Amino acid sequence: MASAATNKNKPKKVITIQSKEDFDKIVAEAGNKHVLVEFFATWCGPCALIGPRLEELAHEYEDCLLIVKVDVDDHVELAEEYDVSSMPSFLIIKNKVKLEQFVGSNGDKVQSTLQKFCGKPDDNKKAPVAGPSTQPAQKPNKLVSVLKAVTPSKASNMPTDKQ
């Protein structure tokens, strides 16, 4: 019941664009944040499928990212401006500059692209939601595994000034 209350109290983060002026204003006022733009259509099945994942990503990356949705049927001029011919199409914009554009409703592709530009979301935000401390400990273990793979296993093998 607590999780239902948490979800109910969470405001929606994905912004649906109402006009070209609305889009231009959001992109201009994003400041140092990246803007992920999804071009979608109401009749597009894959667009509908990725919608909930975009909402999750908007919460995870809220410190460095805004996510906006543009309905291509309502905003043909924006779709033409960004050369959108397939849906869903995604853009990453920062400081009014298009950094990347890709097509498809692959949530993993969207997330990896966000990580490329924004880094991984803050793990501290997830810790209270995760519950038992065993889950957050798994992420550092992966990091430790990577560090062990790229660092020498014994400090004595490293040259020092004392030798």
Side-chain angles (χ1 to χ4, degrees), residues 29-69:
E29 293 178 356
N32 239 5
K33 290 186 175 186
H34 290 82
V35 180
L36 173 69
V37 183
E38 178 203 15
F39 287 91
F40 77 102
T42 55
W43 46 263
C44 168
C47 300
L49 290 174
I50 200 160
R53 182 65 184 126
L54 292 178
E55 195 63 49
E56 290 172 5
L57 291 169
H59 284 279
E60 290 175 26
Y61 288 89
E62 67 185 339
D63 293 334
C64 70
L65 176 77
L66 297 174
I67 299 181
V68 298
K69 296 176 68 138

PDB file of all heavy atoms in Angstrom, residues 29-69:
ATOM      1  N   GLU A  29      14.893  27.281 -22.143  1.00  0.00           N
ATOM      2  CA  GLU A  29      14.977  27.436 -20.692  1.00  0.00           C
ATOM      3  C   GLU A  29      15.539  26.207 -19.977  1.00  0.00           C
ATOM      4  O   GLU A  29      15.648  26.201 -18.759  1.00  0.00           O
ATOM      5  CB  GLU A  29      13.601  27.783 -20.120  1.00  0.00           C
ATOM      6  CG  GLU A  29      13.127  29.157 -20.552  1.00  0.00           C
ATOM      7  CD  GLU A  29      11.742  29.501 -20.040  1.00  0.00           C
ATOM      8  OE1 GLU A  29      11.086  28.646 -19.401  1.00  0.00           O
ATOM      9  OE2 GLU A  29      11.306  30.644 -20.287  1.00  0.00           O
ATOM     10  N   ALA A  30      15.924  25.184 -20.730  1.00  0.00           N
ATOM     11  CA  ALA A  30      16.463  23.968 -20.110  1.00  0.00           C
ATOM     12  C   ALA A  30      17.800  24.231 -19.424  1.00  0.00           C
ATOM     13  O   ALA A  30      18.234  23.446 -18.581  1.00  0.00           O
ATOM     14  CB  ALA A  30      16.611  22.864 -21.158  1.00  0.00           C
ATOM     15  N   GLY A  31      18.437  25.325 -19.802  1.00  0.00           N
ATOM     16  CA  GLY A  31      19.709  25.659 -19.172  1.00  0.00           C
ATOM     17  C   GLY A  31      20.764  24.615 -19.453  1.00  0.00           C
ATOM     18  O   GLY A  31      20.998  24.251 -20.604  1.00  0.00           O
ATOM     19  N   ASN A  32      21.380  24.096 -18.396  1.00  0.00           N
ATOM     20  CA  ASN A  32      22.447  23.118 -18.531  1.00  0.00           C
ATOM     21  C   ASN A  32      21.933  21.696 -18.685  1.00  0.00           C
ATOM     22  O   ASN A  32      22.715  20.771 -18.838  1.00  0.00           O
ATOM     23  CB  ASN A  32      23.366  23.194 -17.301  1.00  0.00           C
ATOM     24  CG  ASN A  32      24.787  23.502 -17.705  1.00  0.00           C
ATOM     25  OD1 ASN A  32      25.072  23.753 -18.878  1.00  0.00           O
ATOM     26  ND2 ASN A  32      25.671  23.469 -16.732  1.00  0.00           N
ATOM     27  N   LYS A  33      20.629  21.519 -18.621  1.00  0.00           N
ATOM     28  CA  LYS A  33      20.054  20.181 -18.736  1.00  0.00           C
ATOM     29  C   LYS A  33      19.963  19.750 -20.195  1.00  0.00           C
ATOM     30  O   LYS A  33      19.791  20.571 -21.093  1.00  0.00           O
ATOM     31  CB  LYS A  33      18.648  20.135 -18.122  1.00  0.00           C
ATOM     32  CG  LYS A  33      18.639  20.261 -16.617  1.00  0.00           C
ATOM     33  CD  LYS A  33      17.229  20.056 -16.081  1.00  0.00           C
ATOM     34  CE  LYS A  33      17.232  20.056 -14.570  1.00  0.00           C
ATOM     35  NZ  LYS A  33      15.907  19.710 -14.038  1.00  0.00           N
ATOM     36  N   HIS A  34      20.071  18.449 -20.397  1.00  0.00           N
ATOM     37  CA  HIS A  34      19.800  17.871 -21.703  1.00  0.00           C
ATOM     38  C   HIS A  34      18.284  17.780 -21.862  1.00  0.00           C
ATOM     39  O   HIS A  34      17.558  17.703 -20.874  1.00  0.00           O
ATOM     40  CB  HIS A  34      20.396  16.467 -21.810  1.00  0.00           C
ATOM     41  CG  HIS A  34      21.884  16.455 -21.868  1.00  0.00           C
ATOM     42  ND1 HIS A  34      22.683  16.540 -20.752  1.00  0.00           N
ATOM     43  CD2 HIS A  34      22.721  16.386 -22.925  1.00  0.00           C
ATOM     44  CE1 HIS A  34      23.949  16.507 -21.111  1.00  0.00           C
ATOM     45  NE2 HIS A  34      24.005  16.418 -22.424  1.00  0.00           N
ATOM     46  N   VAL A  35      17.827  17.760 -23.102  1.00  0.00           N
ATOM     47  CA  VAL A  35      16.409  17.571 -23.387  1.00  0.00           C
ATOM     48  C   VAL A  35      16.292  16.347 -24.289  1.00  0.00           C
ATOM     49  O   VAL A  35      16.900  16.307 -25.363  1.00  0.00           O
ATOM     50  CB  VAL A  35      15.793  18.804 -24.084  1.00  0.00           C
ATOM     51  CG1 VAL A  35      14.307  18.570 -24.365  1.00  0.00           C
ATOM     52  CG2 VAL A  35      15.997  20.062 -23.246  1.00  0.00           C
ATOM     53  N   LEU A  36      15.538  15.340 -23.817  1.00  0.00           N
ATOM     54  CA  LEU A  36      15.225  14.183 -24.651  1.00  0.00           C
ATOM     55  C   LEU A  36      13.855  14.453 -25.254  1.00  0.00           C
ATOM     56  O   LEU A  36      12.884  14.691 -24.532  1.00  0.00           O
ATOM     57  CB  LEU A  36      15.182  12.897 -23.828  1.00  0.00           C
ATOM     58  CG  LEU A  36      14.707  11.648 -24.584  1.00  0.00           C
ATOM     59  CD1 LEU A  36      15.728  11.221 -25.637  1.00  0.00           C
ATOM     60  CD2 LEU A  36      14.426  10.504 -23.636  1.00  0.00           C
ATOM     61  N   VAL A  37      13.793  14.463 -26.578  1.00  0.00           N
ATOM     62  CA  VAL A  37      12.535  14.712 -27.285  1.00  0.00           C
ATOM     63  C   VAL A  37      12.090  13.406 -27.917  1.00  0.00           C
ATOM     64  O   VAL A  37      12.854  12.784 -28.652  1.00  0.00           O
ATOM     65  CB  VAL A  37      12.711  15.785 -28.388  1.00  0.00           C
ATOM     66  CG1 VAL A  37      11.388  16.077 -29.065  1.00  0.00           C
ATOM     67  CG2 VAL A  37      13.342  17.049 -27.822  1.00  0.00           C
ATOM     68  N   GLU A  38      10.852  13.006 -27.613  1.00  0.00           N
ATOM     69  CA  GLU A  38      10.265  11.841 -28.289  1.00  0.00           C
ATOM     70  C   GLU A  38       9.225  12.360 -29.276  1.00  0.00           C
ATOM     71  O   GLU A  38       8.277  13.039 -28.892  1.00  0.00           O
ATOM     72  CB  GLU A  38       9.571  10.892 -27.323  1.00  0.00           C
ATOM     73  CG  GLU A  38       8.927   9.722 -28.064  1.00  0.00           C
ATOM     74  CD  GLU A  38       7.784   9.031 -27.333  1.00  0.00           C
ATOM     75  OE1 GLU A  38       7.259   9.584 -26.354  1.00  0.00           O
ATOM     76  OE2 GLU A  38       7.412   7.936 -27.775  1.00  0.00           O
ATOM     77  N   PHE A  39       9.421  12.050 -30.554  1.00  0.00           N
ATOM     78  CA  PHE A  39       8.407  12.320 -31.558  1.00  0.00           C
ATOM     79  C   PHE A  39       7.550  11.062 -31.646  1.00  0.00           C
ATOM     80  O   PHE A  39       8.067   9.973 -31.905  1.00  0.00           O
ATOM     81  CB  PHE A  39       9.051  12.637 -32.913  1.00  0.00           C
ATOM     82  CG  PHE A  39       9.688  13.993 -32.954  1.00  0.00           C
ATOM     83  CD1 PHE A  39      11.023  14.165 -32.622  1.00  0.00           C
ATOM     84  CD2 PHE A  39       8.939  15.109 -33.310  1.00  0.00           C
ATOM     85  CE1 PHE A  39      11.612  15.416 -32.662  1.00  0.00           C
ATOM     86  CE2 PHE A  39       9.517  16.368 -33.349  1.00  0.00           C
ATOM     87  CZ  PHE A  39      10.856  16.521 -33.023  1.00  0.00           C
ATOM     88  N   PHE A  40       6.240  11.224 -31.408  1.00  0.00           N
ATOM     89  CA  PHE A  40       5.345  10.076 -31.344  1.00  0.00           C
ATOM     90  C   PHE A  40       4.056  10.382 -32.093  1.00  0.00           C
ATOM     91  O   PHE A  40       3.812  11.508 -32.538  1.00  0.00           O
ATOM     92  CB  PHE A  40       5.027   9.745 -29.885  1.00  0.00           C
ATOM     93  CG  PHE A  40       4.023  10.683 -29.252  1.00  0.00           C
ATOM     94  CD1 PHE A  40       2.705  10.297 -29.081  1.00  0.00           C
ATOM     95  CD2 PHE A  40       4.394  11.958 -28.835  1.00  0.00           C
ATOM     96  CE1 PHE A  40       1.771  11.166 -28.519  1.00  0.00           C
ATOM     97  CE2 PHE A  40       3.484  12.822 -28.269  1.00  0.00           C
ATOM     98  CZ  PHE A  40       2.155  12.428 -28.107  1.00  0.00           C
ATOM     99  N   ALA A  41       3.223   9.354 -32.220  1.00  0.00           N
ATOM    100  CA  ALA A  41       1.869   9.513 -32.753  1.00  0.00           C
ATOM    101  C   ALA A  41       0.938   8.701 -31.856  1.00  0.00           C
ATOM    102  O   ALA A  41       1.332   7.657 -31.322  1.00  0.00           O
ATOM    103  CB  ALA A  41       1.797   9.018 -34.192  1.00  0.00           C
ATOM    104  N   THR A  42      -0.286   9.184 -31.703  1.00  0.00           N
ATOM    105  CA  THR A  42      -1.241   8.492 -30.826  1.00  0.00           C
ATOM    106  C   THR A  42      -1.591   7.108 -31.366  1.00  0.00           C
ATOM    107  O   THR A  42      -1.893   6.201 -30.595  1.00  0.00           O
ATOM    108  CB  THR A  42      -2.535   9.314 -30.667  1.00  0.00           C
ATOM    109  OG1 THR A  42      -3.069   9.601 -31.963  1.00  0.00           O
ATOM    110  CG2 THR A  42      -2.262  10.611 -29.923  1.00  0.00           C
ATOM    111  N   TRP A  43      -1.485   6.911 -32.667  1.00  0.00           N
ATOM    112  CA  TRP A  43      -1.815   5.633 -33.286  1.00  0.00           C
ATOM    113  C   TRP A  43      -0.613   4.678 -33.336  1.00  0.00           C
ATOM    114  O   TRP A  43      -0.731   3.557 -33.805  1.00  0.00           O
ATOM    115  CB  TRP A  43      -2.348   5.861 -34.708  1.00  0.00           C
ATOM    116  CG  TRP A  43      -1.526   6.831 -35.502  1.00  0.00           C
ATOM    117  CD1 TRP A  43      -1.774   8.159 -35.683  1.00  0.00           C
ATOM    118  CD2 TRP A  43      -0.305   6.559 -36.210  1.00  0.00           C
ATOM    119  NE1 TRP A  43      -0.780   8.738 -36.455  1.00  0.00           N
ATOM    120  CE2 TRP A  43       0.129   7.773 -36.796  1.00  0.00           C
ATOM    121  CE3 TRP A  43       0.465   5.410 -36.414  1.00  0.00           C
ATOM    122  CZ2 TRP A  43       1.280   7.865 -37.559  1.00  0.00           C
ATOM    123  CZ3 TRP A  43       1.618   5.501 -37.172  1.00  0.00           C
ATOM    124  CH2 TRP A  43       2.012   6.726 -37.744  1.00  0.00           C
ATOM    125  N   CYS A  44       0.531   5.096 -32.842  1.00  0.00           N
ATOM    126  CA  CYS A  44       1.776   4.317 -32.909  1.00  0.00           C
ATOM    127  C   CYS A  44       1.875   3.388 -31.697  1.00  0.00           C
ATOM    128  O   CYS A  44       2.054   3.855 -30.566  1.00  0.00           O
ATOM    129  CB  CYS A  44       2.961   5.279 -32.968  1.00  0.00           C
ATOM    130  SG  CYS A  44       4.576   4.517 -32.723  1.00  0.00           S
ATOM    131  N   GLY A  45       1.771   2.081 -31.928  1.00  0.00           N
ATOM    132  CA  GLY A  45       1.846   1.099 -30.846  1.00  0.00           C
ATOM    133  C   GLY A  45       3.161   1.139 -30.085  1.00  0.00           C
ATOM    134  O   GLY A  45       3.164   1.205 -28.848  1.00  0.00           O
ATOM    135  N   PRO A  46       4.311   1.095 -30.767  1.00  0.00           N
ATOM    136  CA  PRO A  46       5.594   1.152 -30.059  1.00  0.00           C
ATOM    137  C   PRO A  46       5.761   2.431 -29.233  1.00  0.00           C
ATOM    138  O   PRO A  46       6.393   2.417 -28.181  1.00  0.00           O
ATOM    139  CB  PRO A  46       6.627   1.086 -31.185  1.00  0.00           C
ATOM    140  CG  PRO A  46       5.936   0.344 -32.280  1.00  0.00           C
ATOM    141  CD  PRO A  46       4.502   0.787 -32.199  1.00  0.00           C
ATOM    142  N   CYS A  47       5.180   3.529 -29.708  1.00  0.00           N
ATOM    143  CA  CYS A  47       5.254   4.790 -28.954  1.00  0.00           C
ATOM    144  C   CYS A  47       4.527   4.641 -27.615  1.00  0.00           C
ATOM    145  O   CYS A  47       5.011   5.103 -26.574  1.00  0.00           O
ATOM    146  CB  CYS A  47       4.622   5.930 -29.741  1.00  0.00           C
ATOM    147  SG  CYS A  47       5.396   6.258 -31.338  1.00  0.00           S
ATOM    148  N   ALA A  48       3.368   4.006 -27.654  1.00  0.00           N
ATOM    149  CA  ALA A  48       2.585   3.803 -26.432  1.00  0.00           C
ATOM    150  C   ALA A  48       3.319   2.877 -25.470  1.00  0.00           C
ATOM    151  O   ALA A  48       3.278   3.069 -24.252  1.00  0.00           O
ATOM    152  CB  ALA A  48       1.208   3.241 -26.775  1.00  0.00           C
ATOM    153  N   LEU A  49       4.012   1.887 -26.012  1.00  0.00           N
ATOM    154  CA  LEU A  49       4.729   0.929 -25.157  1.00  0.00           C
ATOM    155  C   LEU A  49       5.882   1.565 -24.398  1.00  0.00           C
ATOM    156  O   LEU A  49       6.149   1.202 -23.253  1.00  0.00           O
ATOM    157  CB  LEU A  49       5.249  -0.242 -25.987  1.00  0.00           C
ATOM    158  CG  LEU A  49       4.192  -1.203 -26.520  1.00  0.00           C
ATOM    159  CD1 LEU A  49       4.827  -2.238 -27.443  1.00  0.00           C
ATOM    160  CD2 LEU A  49       3.452  -1.888 -25.382  1.00  0.00           C
ATOM    161  N   ILE A  50       6.568   2.504 -25.010  1.00  0.00           N
ATOM    162  CA  ILE A  50       7.737   3.087 -24.351  1.00  0.00           C
ATOM    163  C   ILE A  50       7.366   4.243 -23.413  1.00  0.00           C
ATOM    164  O   ILE A  50       8.174   4.664 -22.591  1.00  0.00           O
ATOM    165  CB  ILE A  50       8.808   3.524 -25.373  1.00  0.00           C
ATOM    166  CG1 ILE A  50      10.162   3.652 -24.669  1.00  0.00           C
ATOM    167  CG2 ILE A  50       8.405   4.804 -26.080  1.00  0.00           C
ATOM    168  CD1 ILE A  50      11.347   3.603 -25.556  1.00  0.00           C
ATOM    169  N   GLY A  51       6.141   4.719 -23.502  1.00  0.00           N
ATOM    170  CA  GLY A  51       5.702   5.846 -22.669  1.00  0.00           C
ATOM    171  C   GLY A  51       5.979   5.674 -21.183  1.00  0.00           C
ATOM    172  O   GLY A  51       6.578   6.556 -20.554  1.00  0.00           O
ATOM    173  N   PRO A  52       5.563   4.547 -20.557  1.00  0.00           N
ATOM    174  CA  PRO A  52       5.829   4.374 -19.121  1.00  0.00           C
ATOM    175  C   PRO A  52       7.320   4.355 -18.786  1.00  0.00           C
ATOM    176  O   PRO A  52       7.736   4.861 -17.747  1.00  0.00           O
ATOM    177  CB  PRO A  52       5.174   3.022 -18.806  1.00  0.00           C
ATOM    178  CG  PRO A  52       4.141   2.842 -19.858  1.00  0.00           C
ATOM    179  CD  PRO A  52       4.704   3.501 -21.088  1.00  0.00           C
ATOM    180  N   ARG A  53       8.144   3.804 -19.657  1.00  0.00           N
ATOM    181  CA  ARG A  53       9.595   3.777 -19.413  1.00  0.00           C
ATOM    182  C   ARG A  53      10.165   5.193 -19.455  1.00  0.00           C
ATOM    183  O   ARG A  53      11.055   5.532 -18.673  1.00  0.00           O
ATOM    184  CB  ARG A  53      10.284   2.877 -20.441  1.00  0.00           C
ATOM    185  CG  ARG A  53      11.772   2.750 -20.220  1.00  0.00           C
ATOM    186  CD  ARG A  53      12.098   2.043 -18.908  1.00  0.00           C
ATOM    187  NE  ARG A  53      13.521   2.017 -18.692  1.00  0.00           N
ATOM    188  CZ  ARG A  53      14.131   2.457 -17.589  1.00  0.00           C
ATOM    189  NH1 ARG A  53      13.413   2.924 -16.585  1.00  0.00           N
ATOM    190  NH2 ARG A  53      15.426   2.415 -17.477  1.00  0.00           N
ATOM    191  N   LEU A  54       9.651   6.029 -20.343  1.00  0.00           N
ATOM    192  CA  LEU A  54      10.116   7.419 -20.399  1.00  0.00           C
ATOM    193  C   LEU A  54       9.775   8.149 -19.104  1.00  0.00           C
ATOM    194  O   LEU A  54      10.573   8.946 -18.614  1.00  0.00           O
ATOM    195  CB  LEU A  54       9.500   8.142 -21.598  1.00  0.00           C
ATOM    196  CG  LEU A  54       9.951   7.669 -22.970  1.00  0.00           C
ATOM    197  CD1 LEU A  54       9.223   8.444 -24.061  1.00  0.00           C
ATOM    198  CD2 LEU A  54      11.453   7.780 -23.144  1.00  0.00           C
ATOM    199  N   GLU A  55       8.618   7.856 -18.544  1.00  0.00           N
ATOM    200  CA  GLU A  55       8.230   8.482 -17.273  1.00  0.00           C
ATOM    201  C   GLU A  55       9.203   8.067 -16.166  1.00  0.00           C
ATOM    202  O   GLU A  55       9.639   8.892 -15.362  1.00  0.00           O
ATOM    203  CB  GLU A  55       6.792   8.097 -16.920  1.00  0.00           C
ATOM    204  CG  GLU A  55       6.174   8.942 -15.849  1.00  0.00           C
ATOM    205  CD  GLU A  55       6.029  10.419 -16.222  1.00  0.00           C
ATOM    206  OE1 GLU A  55       5.521  10.731 -17.309  1.00  0.00           O
ATOM    207  OE2 GLU A  55       6.433  11.261 -15.393  1.00  0.00           O
ATOM    208  N   GLU A  56       9.580   6.774 -16.131  1.00  0.00           N
ATOM    209  CA  GLU A  56      10.569   6.305 -15.146  1.00  0.00           C
ATOM    210  C   GLU A  56      11.898   7.019 -15.338  1.00  0.00           C
ATOM    211  O   GLU A  56      12.519   7.471 -14.370  1.00  0.00           O
ATOM    212  CB  GLU A  56      10.791   4.793 -15.295  1.00  0.00           C
ATOM    213  CG  GLU A  56       9.635   3.924 -14.876  1.00  0.00           C
ATOM    214  CD  GLU A  56       9.856   2.454 -15.231  1.00  0.00           C
ATOM    215  OE1 GLU A  56      10.961   2.091 -15.718  1.00  0.00           O
ATOM    216  OE2 GLU A  56       8.924   1.663 -15.015  1.00  0.00           O
ATOM    217  N   LEU A  57      12.342   7.116 -16.581  1.00  0.00           N
ATOM    218  CA  LEU A  57      13.621   7.771 -16.872  1.00  0.00           C
ATOM    219  C   LEU A  57      13.579   9.257 -16.504  1.00  0.00           C
ATOM    220  O   LEU A  57      14.580   9.805 -16.034  1.00  0.00           O
ATOM    221  CB  LEU A  57      13.991   7.590 -18.347  1.00  0.00           C
ATOM    222  CG  LEU A  57      14.351   6.166 -18.764  1.00  0.00           C
ATOM    223  CD1 LEU A  57      14.427   6.047 -20.279  1.00  0.00           C
ATOM    224  CD2 LEU A  57      15.638   5.701 -18.116  1.00  0.00           C
ATOM    225  N   ALA A  58      12.438   9.888 -16.694  1.00  0.00           N
ATOM    226  CA  ALA A  58      12.304  11.301 -16.339  1.00  0.00           C
ATOM    227  C   ALA A  58      12.524  11.501 -14.841  1.00  0.00           C
ATOM    228  O   ALA A  58      13.137  12.484 -14.423  1.00  0.00           O
ATOM    229  CB  ALA A  58      10.926  11.825 -16.751  1.00  0.00           C
ATOM    230  N   HIS A  59      12.048  10.562 -14.033  1.00  0.00           N
ATOM    231  CA  HIS A  59      12.265  10.657 -12.588  1.00  0.00           C
ATOM    232  C   HIS A  59      13.717  10.331 -12.225  1.00  0.00           C
ATOM    233  O   HIS A  59      14.318  10.999 -11.397  1.00  0.00           O
ATOM    234  CB  HIS A  59      11.302   9.724 -11.841  1.00  0.00           C
ATOM    235  CG  HIS A  59       9.910  10.255 -11.777  1.00  0.00           C
ATOM    236  ND1 HIS A  59       9.509  11.194 -10.866  1.00  0.00           N
ATOM    237  CD2 HIS A  59       8.831   9.987 -12.547  1.00  0.00           C
ATOM    238  CE1 HIS A  59       8.237  11.484 -11.063  1.00  0.00           C
ATOM    239  NE2 HIS A  59       7.801  10.763 -12.081  1.00  0.00           N
ATOM    240  N   GLU A  60      14.287   9.309 -12.875  1.00  0.00           N
ATOM    241  CA  GLU A  60      15.659   8.901 -12.580  1.00  0.00           C
ATOM    242  C   GLU A  60      16.679   9.980 -12.944  1.00  0.00           C
ATOM    243  O   GLU A  60      17.673  10.160 -12.254  1.00  0.00           O
ATOM    244  CB  GLU A  60      16.006   7.612 -13.335  1.00  0.00           C
ATOM    245  CG  GLU A  60      15.284   6.381 -12.813  1.00  0.00           C
ATOM    246  CD  GLU A  60      15.562   5.157 -13.669  1.00  0.00           C
ATOM    247  OE1 GLU A  60      16.619   5.088 -14.332  1.00  0.00           O
ATOM    248  OE2 GLU A  60      14.712   4.241 -13.665  1.00  0.00           O
ATOM    249  N   TYR A  61      16.441  10.678 -14.033  1.00  0.00           N
ATOM    250  CA  TYR A  61      17.404  11.653 -14.548  1.00  0.00           C
ATOM    251  C   TYR A  61      16.950  13.097 -14.346  1.00  0.00           C
ATOM    252  O   TYR A  61      17.431  13.999 -15.022  1.00  0.00           O
ATOM    253  CB  TYR A  61      17.635  11.411 -16.047  1.00  0.00           C
ATOM    254  CG  TYR A  61      18.433  10.172 -16.345  1.00  0.00           C
ATOM    255  CD1 TYR A  61      17.796   8.945 -16.526  1.00  0.00           C
ATOM    256  CD2 TYR A  61      19.817  10.217 -16.428  1.00  0.00           C
ATOM    257  CE1 TYR A  61      18.525   7.797 -16.792  1.00  0.00           C
ATOM    258  CE2 TYR A  61      20.555   9.081 -16.702  1.00  0.00           C
ATOM    259  CZ  TYR A  61      19.898   7.876 -16.880  1.00  0.00           C
ATOM    260  OH  TYR A  61      20.627   6.745 -17.141  1.00  0.00           O
ATOM    261  N   GLU A  62      16.050  13.331 -13.397  1.00  0.00           N
ATOM    262  CA  GLU A  62      15.455  14.661 -13.250  1.00  0.00           C
ATOM    263  C   GLU A  62      16.475  15.763 -12.972  1.00  0.00           C
ATOM    264  O   GLU A  62      16.219  16.930 -13.282  1.00  0.00           O
ATOM    265  CB  GLU A  62      14.371  14.652 -12.172  1.00  0.00           C
ATOM    266  CG  GLU A  62      14.880  14.419 -10.770  1.00  0.00           C
ATOM    267  CD  GLU A  62      13.744  14.300  -9.762  1.00  0.00           C
ATOM    268  OE1 GLU A  62      12.633  14.779 -10.042  1.00  0.00           O
ATOM    269  OE2 GLU A  62      13.977  13.722  -8.703  1.00  0.00           O
ATOM    270  N   ASP A  63      17.636  15.434 -12.430  1.00  0.00           N
ATOM    271  CA  ASP A  63      18.634  16.464 -12.128  1.00  0.00           C
ATOM    272  C   ASP A  63      19.387  16.957 -13.364  1.00  0.00           C
ATOM    273  O   ASP A  63      19.980  18.036 -13.334  1.00  0.00           O
ATOM    274  CB  ASP A  63      19.639  15.946 -11.100  1.00  0.00           C
ATOM    275  CG  ASP A  63      19.001  15.724  -9.746  1.00  0.00           C
ATOM    276  OD1 ASP A  63      17.991  16.393  -9.443  1.00  0.00           O
ATOM    277  OD2 ASP A  63      19.500  14.874  -8.980  1.00  0.00           O
ATOM    278  N   CYS A  64      19.398  16.157 -14.433  1.00  0.00           N
ATOM    279  CA  CYS A  64      20.200  16.563 -15.594  1.00  0.00           C
ATOM    280  C   CYS A  64      19.430  16.525 -16.906  1.00  0.00           C
ATOM    281  O   CYS A  64      20.015  16.768 -17.961  1.00  0.00           O
ATOM    282  CB  CYS A  64      21.430  15.662 -15.705  1.00  0.00           C
ATOM    283  SG  CYS A  64      21.042  13.980 -16.179  1.00  0.00           S
ATOM    284  N   LEU A  65      18.115  16.225 -16.854  1.00  0.00           N
ATOM    285  CA  LEU A  65      17.396  15.951 -18.098  1.00  0.00           C
ATOM    286  C   LEU A  65      15.932  16.353 -18.012  1.00  0.00           C
ATOM    287  O   LEU A  65      15.294  16.170 -16.971  1.00  0.00           O
ATOM    288  CB  LEU A  65      17.477  14.443 -18.381  1.00  0.00           C
ATOM    289  CG  LEU A  65      16.723  13.894 -19.570  1.00  0.00           C
ATOM    290  CD1 LEU A  65      17.462  14.211 -20.858  1.00  0.00           C
ATOM    291  CD2 LEU A  65      16.574  12.383 -19.438  1.00  0.00           C
ATOM    292  N   LEU A  66      15.412  16.868 -19.119  1.00  0.00           N
ATOM    293  CA  LEU A  66      13.976  17.053 -19.308  1.00  0.00           C
ATOM    294  C   LEU A  66      13.555  16.112 -20.426  1.00  0.00           C
ATOM    295  O   LEU A  66      14.300  15.930 -21.388  1.00  0.00           O
ATOM    296  CB  LEU A  66      13.654  18.484 -19.732  1.00  0.00           C
ATOM    297  CG  LEU A  66      13.975  19.606 -18.764  1.00  0.00           C
ATOM    298  CD1 LEU A  66      13.723  20.956 -19.422  1.00  0.00           C
ATOM    299  CD2 LEU A  66      13.152  19.473 -17.494  1.00  0.00           C
ATOM    300  N   ILE A  67      12.374  15.532 -20.309  1.00  0.00           N
ATOM    301  CA  ILE A  67      11.843  14.694 -21.386  1.00  0.00           C
ATOM    302  C   ILE A  67      10.558  15.327 -21.875  1.00  0.00           C
ATOM    303  O   ILE A  67       9.658  15.625 -21.086  1.00  0.00           O
ATOM    304  CB  ILE A  67      11.602  13.242 -20.927  1.00  0.00           C
ATOM    305  CG1 ILE A  67      12.914  12.596 -20.476  1.00  0.00           C
ATOM    306  CG2 ILE A  67      10.962  12.430 -22.062  1.00  0.00           C
ATOM    307  CD1 ILE A  67      12.796  11.152 -20.014  1.00  0.00           C
ATOM    308  N   VAL A  68      10.501  15.539 -23.194  1.00  0.00           N
ATOM    309  CA  VAL A  68       9.304  16.108 -23.806  1.00  0.00           C
ATOM    310  C   VAL A  68       8.826  15.193 -24.926  1.00  0.00           C
ATOM    311  O   VAL A  68       9.624  14.480 -25.545  1.00  0.00           O
ATOM    312  CB  VAL A  68       9.542  17.539 -24.344  1.00  0.00           C
ATOM    313  CG1 VAL A  68       9.918  18.486 -23.219  1.00  0.00           C
ATOM    314  CG2 VAL A  68      10.587  17.566 -25.425  1.00  0.00           C
ATOM    315  N   LYS A  69       7.514  15.238 -25.155  1.00  0.00           N
ATOM    316  CA  LYS A  69       6.900  14.446 -26.217  1.00  0.00           C
ATOM    317  C   LYS A  69       6.260  15.383 -27.223  1.00  0.00           C
ATOM    318  O   LYS A  69       5.588  16.336 -26.841  1.00  0.00           O
ATOM    319  CB  LYS A  69       5.825  13.523 -25.634  1.00  0.00           C
ATOM    320  CG  LYS A  69       6.365  12.489 -24.669  1.00  0.00           C
ATOM    321  CD  LYS A  69       5.243  11.680 -24.044  1.00  0.00           C
ATOM    322  CE  LYS A  69       4.607  10.827 -25.079  1.00  0.00           C
ATOM    323  NZ  LYS A  69       4.281   9.479 -24.680  1.00  0.00           N
TER     324      LYS A  69
END
